[in-house]
Structure formats: C-alpha cells, structure tokens
Amino acid sequence: MDLEVRMHPTLGIMVRNDGAVLVKDRGSRKDYWFFGYKNAKGYCIVSVKGKYRKVHRLVLETFIGIPDDGMMCDHINRVRNDNRVENLRWVTAQENARNTKRSDACVEKYGVHSYEDSSAYHKAWSINRKGVERCDQA
C-alpha cells in the first residue's frame, strides 16, 4: 500500500490512508503522525480542535467523502483499530450489524471478509506501522 495524504474536507487536518492523523504539537513545535488512543470500546480516537474524534470516521470522510445522514463506518475485517482506508466503508446500520462475529453465516452472501487467523493478520498489519506512535493492538 502506498501512503497517501489528504486534507480533511471540513476540519483542515492532514490524514493518511493508513489511519494516521498529523498532530501539531504545541510544546515542542514538531508535527508528528499519530494513530490515536484506544478508547474503552477499542476504537482509535484523536483530539482535533478540542474535541475527540474517531480516526476511522476521519479517514473515511477524507478519502471517500462525507456520508449521507444515517450512514455508519464499518471495519470490514472487524478490527476496530485497523483504520486503513481499504478496510473501511460507509454502510447502513443494518449492513453494519451483518458484519459481526454473530453473523458469520452472512459472510459470503454479503461479501464481508472473515479472517480465521486474526493473530497472523495483526502481525502482518502492524509491520507497516512499526516505529510510529500508534494505537496499540488488542
């Protein structure tokens, strides 16, 4: 995956397609890419203009566009802190509910990808993020 950087359409912040957000550090005056802090539900969040925002929504809004009302962000592989743009999509609440471990019977019918060996997936996914401050793996 080639890294791509774009400006968020409404917030004026830089976002990468691998789920990192450019943070302006007031103390040291150095900017750095940050994957966020994991919240209690396992989603990565960052503070933008004094408000905590979910990284997955920032990535989708930046690379896919602002959704219609009622649309939700879905992590295709069910890993809540995997915020790569190719792992995210806008879906309805009904479509989002189908992509759960409880609905594995729907996997082939609706095109949702299942990862049988999630530990191997996590290791492969985290290799690209090594050495960068990031949201920790579960």
Side-chain angles (χ1 to χ4, degrees):
M1 169 180 74
D2 292 331
L3 286 181
E4 186 177 343
V5 178
R6 292 189 189 172
M7 179 82 67
H8 188 278
T10 59
L11 296 174
I13 60 170
M14 300 302 287
V15 180
R16 277 191 337 213
N17 62 342
D18 67 345
V21 176
L22 186 64
V23 174
K24 307 244 183 226
D25 187 9
R26 295 183 190 140
S28 65
R29 301 279 187 226
K30 292 182 181 177
D31 300 343
Y32 59 96
W33 290 99
F34 185 54
F35 290 93
Y37 299 104
K38 193 185 294 187
N39 70 8
K41 292 186 177 183
Y43 294 105
C44 294
I45 58 171
V46 294
S47 179
V48 177
K49 299 184 179 183
K51 182 177 177 184
Y52 284 106
R53 300 184 184 270
K54 292 179 180 171
V55 173
H56 58 271
R57 288 195 64 90
L58 294 174
V59 172
L60 268 179
E61 289 169 354
T62 302
F63 288 91
I64 305 300
I66 306 291
D68 296 331
D69 287 340
M71 298 299 282
M72 303 175 77
C73 176
D74 180 44
H75 288 83
I76 296 168
N77 68 1
R78 302 183 196 135
V79 179
R80 291 180 175 180
N81 60 346
D82 181 357
N83 295 313
R84 297 170 299 126
V85 71
E86 63 266 15
N87 182 50
L88 303 172
R89 63 184 174 176
W90 293 119
V91 295
T92 63
Q94 185 179 20
E95 291 168 326
N96 197 28
R98 286 184 190 135
N99 191 16
T100 64
K101 289 182 181 179
R102 289 173 275 140
S103 63
D104 271 341
C106 299
V107 167
E108 290 185 16
K109 182 176 180 183
Y110 297 104
V112 176
H113 302 286
S114 179
Y115 291 89
E116 299 202 7
D117 184 6
S118 64
S119 64
Y121 175 79
H122 283 293
K123 288 175 188 170
W125 173 64
S126 64
I127 288 171
N128 292 332
R129 302 178 102 162
K130 192 170 187 159
V132 179
E133 197 167 344
R134 61 184 164 85
C135 189
D136 293 327
Q137 298 294 317

